[in-house]
Amino acid sequence: MNVYKTDNIRNVIVMGHGSSGKTSLTEAMAYTTGIVNRLGKVTDGNTISDFDKEEIKRKFSINTSVIPIEFNGIKINILDAPGYFDFVGEMEEAMSVADGAVICVSAKAGVEVGTVKAWEYCERYSIPRIFYISFMDDPNADFMKLVNELKNIFGKKVAPFHLPIIEEGKFVGYVNTVRMAGRKYRPDGSYDECEIPDNEKEDLAPVRDMIMEAVAETSEEYMERFFNGEEFSFEEIVGALRNEIFEGNIVPVQIGSSINNFGARMVLETIERYFPAPDKAKFFRQGINTATKEPFIATCDHDGPLAVFVFKTILDPFIGAFSLVKISSGILKSDDTVYNAERDAMEKISKLYVLRGKTTTEIKELHGGDIGAIPKLSVTRTGDTLSKKEFPIILNKPKMSVPYTSVAYTSKVKGEEDKIAQAISKMTIEDLTLKQVNDEENRQMLLYGVGDQHLEIVASKIKDNYKVDIEIMHPRVAFRETIRKKVETEGKHKKQSGGHGQYGHVKMSFEPSNNLDKPYEFEEKIFGGSVPKNYFPAVEKGIQECVQKGPLAGYPVVGIKGVLLDGSYHPVDSSEMAFKMATIHAFKKGFMEASPVLLEPIALLKVTIPDRFTGDIMGDLNKKRGRVMGMNPTDNGKQVIEAEIPMSELFGYSTNLRSMTGGYGNYEYAFVRYEQAPPEVQQHEIARHEAEHGREV
């Protein structure tokens, strides 16, 4: 592949709802430009983008693929991002390096939640976008109805650049509303000029007027000419539209049938003509020069200091290890030695590649704004910045979605725990929305992901790629145990087995400390030396050991105060061990007499939803023992419901929320405190503990 300079590069993310035609459009663009010699299909599992085993098996995108395309002397880095919400991390990584977006909308399904979310991400990053209406070959496709739906949701800035030409119920071409000309497709995806059909002229007039008004508003001269009834040249129209699209004042709508290779060339032409080069983008990543502590803005200037942003890491057993990078400033060469300021480490670059799906092409250098891949970096991870040591730069990391869905897992085959740990460790480097947690308290390993499907696919990948099998199960809740009243009790440890015996005797009181943040408090009120001072630490050690695993259901104890009141000792047989054991006996007996209860963790849940789902969500929270604390409207017409809810009720909430809101709802939560669990919850946990371990005495 040729080396391209910044002004001849475009970085474009293809996004939208799942199954809206993103990968098919990418495939059609690759076919149009000769990258592939046959048009692959998602259903056949032979597209250039979806090459992962899981993607082929499930027939949808899981990972972001980079497909560089050479077209009319420019390089277009297509970022084919997943549309399903469980893989939002992949889309967020691609979004962090894109300078323009193609939002795919299915003519069959219409505007879906993924369409809206794609738009919101474009708004967040201030990048220009176009809508691509796919599946126009569907006999039930209603283009103008869909355009009106887009306008109702996203505003009057939505402007059809194409109108479909339908003959005998078949999609055969389009009207170019900018050039005011008709086009009929050839079988290879090119077109012949044709007359504009009479039945399109009624829809064409208002669309054309809107485009001309947008052109006129770009300057006073154009406005005067517009009012005088003068025509604009095609070059003037394109120049004005480029500015309007860049500013987000116009969002073009184009059409196609990717499976027939209808429309891909027109999307490529629009990208070339209207989307900005990386150094002209509205969003530039900011950072800091760690040597001078001065701010740094990465404007993709190829003459600037080197700043290479790692936006994605691939550790694939078959493809190999690659760091996908965007040259945010300067020029990166294949023999460079670079510095990772965040990790204070040098990295030697032996080769540079351009990835195209799963194939690699070696390249000598990458200029500012371009996207490529570096193999086998030692310490560098996603989000890191590579620069020169004399000009050390750290660029800001993009905000990634936080994983809230969790499962417990264990090895199906004993002895493979280390293999599983290594596999998951590699996968968490690749996937920043996957998190591994060792829950020592409940003796379980946890995986956190964006949703149930995300975690299911992680388990499948571990089995296929690393040849180890894990069993996924419902995670246990981190309950706590405490007491509600004060009791006095005693414990005695006495043994005689020849020689020195063992003797320890304590009288103690146990009561609530009213501080659930601490396991226990210890105090002694001994008078007259009934228990020598040198045994006090042994008594506290006994309490310390007991609170780790409570007598009620085996959970940690919190909020208890133990006071040593009295006792007795033997001058020969007493020891620290004997007094510790006596304290343990006293604790277990006293705890069970002091009205013991289980405490459950409570989370503060924030659910963000469109207002129309408020009643359903409130009703569901009530069923889950949630207490609604308040509602706050957002700037974009949504509601944020805040509620306190037991964490045990949040398992599976991601799937439930999507089901109730059609995918529009988002949530986050954080632990706030422990509260006494209801009797039925306590009884269930105690019964489960007794079934597994028996009643401890």
Side-chain angles (χ1 to χ4, degrees), residues 395-621:
L395 296 174
N396 296 342
K397 297 181 187 345
K399 184 181 179 182
M400 299 291 291
S401 293
V402 178
Y404 288 108
T405 302
S406 65
V407 293
Y409 72 90
T410 185
S411 171
K412 285 188 177 180
V413 179
K414 192 173 182 181
E416 290 190 341
E417 289 78 9
D418 288 345
K419 285 184 180 179
I420 291 173
Q422 291 173 12
I424 292 176
S425 177
K426 289 180 179 179
M427 294 184 74
T428 55
I429 293 173
E430 280 190 290
D431 185 352
L432 299 188
T433 60
L434 181 67
K435 186 171 68 172
Q436 181 186 34
V437 174
N438 181 8
D439 182 6
E440 295 181 356
E441 176 183 317
N442 290 309
R443 297 174 294 282
Q444 61 183 355
M445 295 299 296
L446 300 177
L447 272 181
Y448 281 82
V450 176
D452 296 325
Q453 189 177 52
H454 181 201
L455 294 171
E456 176 194 332
I457 288 176
V458 166
S460 183
K461 279 188 171 185
I462 291 172
K463 182 177 181 179
D464 289 343
N465 295 347
Y466 299 97
K467 309 306 177 189
V468 286
D469 216 348
I470 65 171
E471 181 180 355
I472 286 177
M473 62 204 79
H474 198 289
R476 288 181 178 168
V477 180
F479 287 92
R480 296 286 185 267
E481 300 182 18
T482 193
I483 55 176
R484 290 184 298 176
K485 70 177 186 181
K486 182 177 181 179
V487 296
E488 291 189 6
T489 185
E490 66 177 315
K492 184 177 288 188
H493 181 70
K494 183 178 181 181
K495 270 191 178 182
Q496 191 68 46
S497 56
H500 285 303
Q502 297 181 38
Y503 183 85
H505 175 216
V506 294
K507 292 183 179 180
M508 304 187 69
S509 69
F510 294 100
E511 62 185 293
S513 69
N514 299 318
N515 182 3
L516 298 181
D517 293 330
K518 290 179 65 176
Y520 72 93
E521 295 174 7
F522 173 65
E523 189 180 340
E524 54 80 21
K525 294 182 179 179
I526 294 291
F527 296 99
S530 55
V531 176
K533 287 183 179 180
N534 58 306
Y535 294 131
F536 292 173
V539 174
E540 183 173 3
K541 193 174 287 186
I543 299 175
Q544 193 177 54
E545 187 173 306
C546 286
V547 296
Q548 295 177 15
K549 189 177 177 182
L552 190 60
Y555 289 103
V557 174
V558 294
I560 193 168
K561 182 178 180 181
V563 182
L564 178 60
L565 302 173
D566 201 359
S568 60
Y569 75 102
H570 189 280
V572 176
D573 293 344
S574 287
S575 65
E576 290 186 0
M577 178 60 74
F579 271 95
K580 185 181 105 172
M581 294 304 299
T583 304
I584 290 172
H585 295 320
F587 183 96
K588 290 182 177 180
K589 181 183 177 186
F591 191 92
M592 297 306 292
E593 294 174 352
S595 297
V597 292
L598 280 183
L599 305 174
E600 63 180 348
I602 304 297
L604 177 62
L605 174 70
K606 294 182 180 180
V607 186
T608 304
I609 50 166
D611 192 58
R612 63 185 182 273
F613 297 112
T614 300
D616 293 338
I617 299 302
M618 300 269 275
D620 183 66
L621 289 174

Side-chain angles (χ1 to χ4, degrees), residues 56-96:
I56 294 170
K57 179 170 71 176
R58 298 171 188 270
K59 303 190 187 311
F60 60 76
S61 298
I62 294 170
N63 309 301
T64 290
S65 295
V66 182
I67 313 295
I69 289 172
E70 295 173 290
F71 179 75
N72 287 352
I74 67 169
K75 179 186 180 186
I76 304 174
N77 291 309
I78 300 293
L79 298 144
D80 181 14
Y84 290 104
F85 307 134
D86 280 27
F87 314 106
V88 65
E90 293 283 330
M91 191 272 290
E92 288 169 335
E93 288 175 343
M95 200 73 195
S96 71

Side-chain angles (χ1 to χ4, degrees), residues 307-322:
V308 178
F309 179 69
V310 181
F311 70 92
K312 180 176 171 61
T313 302
I314 298 174
L315 297 176
D316 191 277
F318 307 105
I319 299 175
F322 287 98

